[in-house]
Amino acid sequence: MSQNRPVYLKLRDQIAAAIIEGRYAEGEMLPSVRALAAEEGANPLTVAKAYQQFQNDGLVEVQRGVGMYVVAGAADRLRNRERDSFLRNEWPEIRARMERLGIDLAELVEEA
């Protein structure tokens, strides 16, 4: 399923996770397009496309000639968006699979 996703969306997910986890803190500058492209082994245009989505969503702001910064509230907004997406798109499939396999939610909590 995720193997068919475009690279820029995979990068977007990685960057979103880093913001949510605080690796790119609010007010902090993101790596340059070239630096992230080199780090991820990706084309700089692909990284730029992923960054553009964050800019369009108002999660980062560009300071011309300086860099791109994570805006205040970005982590919470991303976390809420990811949570809603998980509950709407992924959880129903996971829950159905758990039911098919006879896995009880309480059993999972005990395992953790």
Side-chain angles (χ1 to χ4, degrees), residues 7-97:
V7 174
Y8 82 94
L9 289 177
K10 291 178 186 179
L11 278 171
R12 184 229 162 263
D13 290 347
Q14 289 175 358
I15 297 162
I19 292 171
I20 291 168
E21 294 166 1
R23 286 183 279 141
Y24 301 141
E26 296 174 358
E28 186 177 305
M29 189 169 70
L30 292 174
S32 71
V33 168
R34 289 177 195 251
L36 189 61
E39 182 181 317
E40 295 296 328
N43 184 312
L45 293 175
T46 303
V47 173
K49 189 171 183 178
Y51 275 4
Q52 184 63 49
Q53 282 207 314
F54 286 102
Q55 189 176 354
N56 292 345
D57 291 344
L59 299 167
V60 298
E61 62 183 13
V62 176
Q63 292 185 11
R64 293 269 180 232
V66 180
M68 193 171 287
Y69 290 81
V70 179
V71 301
D76 285 339
R77 288 174 49 202
L78 281 167
R79 185 178 297 106
N80 289 336
R81 186 180 302 165
E82 296 286 326
R83 183 181 188 282
D84 291 345
S85 177
F86 172 78
L87 291 172
R88 189 174 47 261
N89 302 316
E90 297 174 54
W91 176 244
E93 184 179 328
I94 292 169
R95 185 179 58 218
R97 186 163 186 208

Side-chain angles (χ1 to χ4, degrees), residues 93-105:
E93 184 179 328
I94 292 169
R95 185 179 58 218
R97 186 163 186 208
M98 288 173 59
E99 288 173 3
R100 281 193 306 275
L101 297 174
I103 298 172
D104 184 58
L105 189 57

